[in-house]
Structure formats: C-alpha cells, structure tokens
Amino acid sequence: MGRRRARARGAGGFAVLLCALLALPCAAWIARDVWVAEHGADIWWLWAGEPVRPQESPVWATTLLDPLLGLGYLCTAAAVLRRSPSANCALTAMAAATLLFRLPLLRTLGAERLSGPEPGVREWALVTAGAALLLSVLLLITASAGRDRTGRPPGRLRLGPAALAALLLGGAGLALAGWQAYWVREMGWPLYRDSVIGSTGVFRALLQPPLNWYLLSLVLLALVSVVGVAQRAVSMRPLGMLAAALLLAHGTARLTAEQRAGLLGRFSALPASRQLDVTTWTFVALAGLVALFALTRPADSARPRGSEAGQMPPGFTPPAPPSKLPPNW
C-alpha cells in the first residue's frame, strides 16, 4: 500500500511538471503575438478568424486553441494537486487533445521555410509542436501509471445532467459533421482532402491546424464524449467538458466575427446557406455552454457496503440483542 501511494504521488508530481511544460509555450507564443500587435483587440479578432496582421511581422503565431489548451493544462494540474478523483481522466483528455491538434503542424510547418523579419519563427513553432507531441505521450504514460487500481467504484453522473449534456454534445457534433459532408460535396474529395491535411497552405497563424482538420477533431471529441456521458461514466466527464469548452469558444468566436461583418444585423436578407451557417454556430455555442454547466454538476458518489463503508447503510436497523445471554457470557 505504501509503495502504491508513493508511486501515485510521484506520478502526480511528474504530471504537474508536464502540464506546466505544455502551458509555458502557449503563454510564450501568446505574449509574442501581443508584443507584435498594434492593438490588444487585434489578438481577439485574430482568434475569431478575422484577417488581421501586424505591420512588422510576417505571420501570427497563435489561434483561439492556444489559450484554451493553456487553460486546460493549468486546470488539469490543479486537479492533480488537489488529488481529484478525475485527475487521471483529465490528464488523458488533455494529452489526447494535444496529440490531435498538434500532429498536423509537423506537416504544415515543415513544408517550407518562412522568410521575413523573423527568420527562425517557423523553426521555433515546429519545435513547439514536436515538444508538445512528446510531452503529451509522456502525459498519457503518467496518467496510466497513476490510475487508481484499488477497484473502488467511481460513482456515476447524475441522470438528468448527463442526458442533457449527451444530447447537446451529440447534436453539435452531428451539426458540424453535416457541414463537413456539405463541403465534401461542394469542394470535391481531392480539394477537401488537401484542406484537411494542410496541403492548401492557407493559414492565419503558425500554430493553426488546418481548418477542416480542426472541425473534424471537434466532431470526434464531441461524439466520443457523448458515448461515455450517455453511459453516465465519470471518467468521460473531463473529455466532455473539454469538448463543450471548445464548442463554446469556437461558436462564440464565429458569431463575434459575423457580428463585426454585419451579418447578424441583416440575417433575414442572407442566403439560405448563410442563414443555416449562422444558426448552426449559434446552436453550437449554446450547446457548448449548457453542456459545460451540466457536466460541472457533482456526480452521484458510489456508496460502499458493509465493512467497506465503516457504517450502516441508511435505513438499516441492527438486530436486537438476544433476551437471554448464553452461559459464561
């Protein structure tokens, strides 16, 4: 028992270190973009998808994904430090998301050298992506080493919040998947495939994964989390919260950009496809918000029975003592 606790404590400390190492590059690249930006608001419009560029920099570095991942690493480290029961699940979710979003950068950043006032910026971004992939693999191994093997039941999510979150995450994931099917039909498979793997070369920032890769990843995270949340599995709550936060942030950013472009003010005059696009992102943002709040509800704790509990279950009355004691009692 002591050896198991020592191993779990060591794995927790190493996991906190890995989360810190993953969060530091996110903060450094965000600070770099703030430094080269003319106005602080330019960073938000960049993250919202607006084509804003600083005058003295060849390219931006970050997207909305970077502050979200950085915040996720910090929240996961906090969960590990306070020994939350879902800490290992949160480590696994963040490691999987890092692998999913950073993997295509090896192709997009390694395609060709970026010339400009900062000749080494592409190489540093490539190092960042490679290091994030390596650290995320170590995070998966650490989460596996620190997993609870005592066999204690983890409890279950409450039925109402779990059903609501699964319904909303599934609806948002299917809506985004429907748009991906639409773009396959509109663009044709060869062009769509190039947009997924990053062969088109259209990027607003160095650390931006290909847009359709990013949207497909959102679909994957949402639908995978639905399977676990629908079964009320507590272990899937961190992944569901991550998917809900990404849906909320991306939907809000898209709506903000469309409001700036004046599309929401003349919604009735837009083409039907454009109206459907605005409606989809409105639903995605609201679904992410409500699902996130639903998944923060506390789970039903699994009550051990008998001697494991150390107390009698509610409503249980011990038998009365015998009226006559045995001889020599």
Side-chain angles (χ1 to χ4, degrees):
M1 181 66 69
R3 183 179 302 176
R4 182 184 301 165
R5 289 181 178 178
R7 184 177 62 181
R9 192 179 299 111
F14 188 56
V16 171
L17 175 62
L18 292 176
C19 289
L21 292 176
L22 284 165
L24 279 176
C26 296
W29 282 110
I30 293 172
R32 179 260 181 191
D33 279 353
V34 171
W35 178 262
V36 300
E38 294 182 0
H39 307 285
D42 291 345
I43 301 297
W44 167 250
W45 295 120
L46 163 72
W47 292 347
E50 290 293 301
V52 181
R53 287 181 180 271
Q55 293 181 352
E56 299 180 357
S57 177
V59 69
W60 294 94
T62 61
T63 66
L64 185 59
L65 187 61
D66 294 284
L68 292 175
L69 287 178
L71 182 61
Y73 298 137
L74 295 179
C75 291
T76 302
V80 174
L81 288 175
R82 59 187 177 87
R83 298 181 181 179
S84 171
S86 60
N88 286 321
C89 303
L91 291 172
T92 303
M94 289 305 303
T98 304
L99 288 171
L100 198 58
F101 292 125
R102 296 309 193 197
L103 184 61
L105 299 182
L106 298 181
R107 175 182 175 85
T108 59
L109 292 172
E112 58 183 8
R113 183 181 178 84
L114 178 67
S115 59
E118 296 180 80
V121 65
R122 179 184 288 267
E123 286 73 14
W124 278 112
L126 185 59
V127 170
T128 299
L133 293 174
L134 176 60
L135 292 174
S136 61
V137 172
L138 293 177
L139 203 61
L140 283 174
I141 298 174
T142 306
S144 177
R147 188 175 303 164
D148 184 11
R149 293 180 173 85
T150 59
R152 292 175 296 182
R156 302 184 70 190
L157 298 176
R158 294 183 179 179
L159 178 59
L164 179 61
L167 182 63
L168 292 174
L169 289 174
L174 291 177
L176 294 181
W179 275 106
Q180 290 300 298
Y182 169 81
W183 287 118
V184 170
R185 185 171 64 89
E186 290 292 313
M187 301 170 62
W189 173 249
L191 186 58
Y192 176 81
R193 179 196 58 202
D194 291 342
S195 70
V196 170
I197 64 177
S199 298
T200 57
V202 180
F203 300 97
R204 291 189 177 95
L206 285 171
L207 298 178
Q208 176 190 2
L211 179 58
N212 285 325
W213 176 285
Y214 177 71
L215 294 176
L216 286 174
S217 299
L218 281 183
V219 172
L220 179 63
L221 291 175
L223 296 183
V224 170
S225 64
V226 164
V227 176
V229 172
Q231 297 175 354
R232 301 171 59 190
V234 174
S235 60
M236 295 300 291
R237 178 161 61 179
L239 182 61
M241 294 179 67
L242 175 62
L246 290 173
L247 292 171
L248 171 61
H250 194 74
T252 303
R254 286 292 296 265
L255 291 176
T256 304
E258 291 176 349
Q259 171 63 29
R260 190 189 192 196
L263 298 181
L264 300 184
R266 50 188 180 91
F267 179 80
S268 58
L270 295 176
S273 61
R274 197 62 173 168
Q275 289 181 349
L276 185 58
D277 180 69
V278 174
T279 304
T280 300
W281 287 113
T282 303
F283 169 72
V284 166
L286 291 176
L289 176 63
V290 177
L292 186 61
F293 275 105
L295 290 172
T296 56
R297 298 284 297 172
D300 291 331
S301 59
R303 295 176 178 173
R305 299 179 179 179
S307 60
E308 296 180 3
Q311 59 183 0
M312 295 299 178
F316 180 82
T317 303
S323 57
K324 294 183 180 180
L325 296 177
N328 302 324
W329 182 261

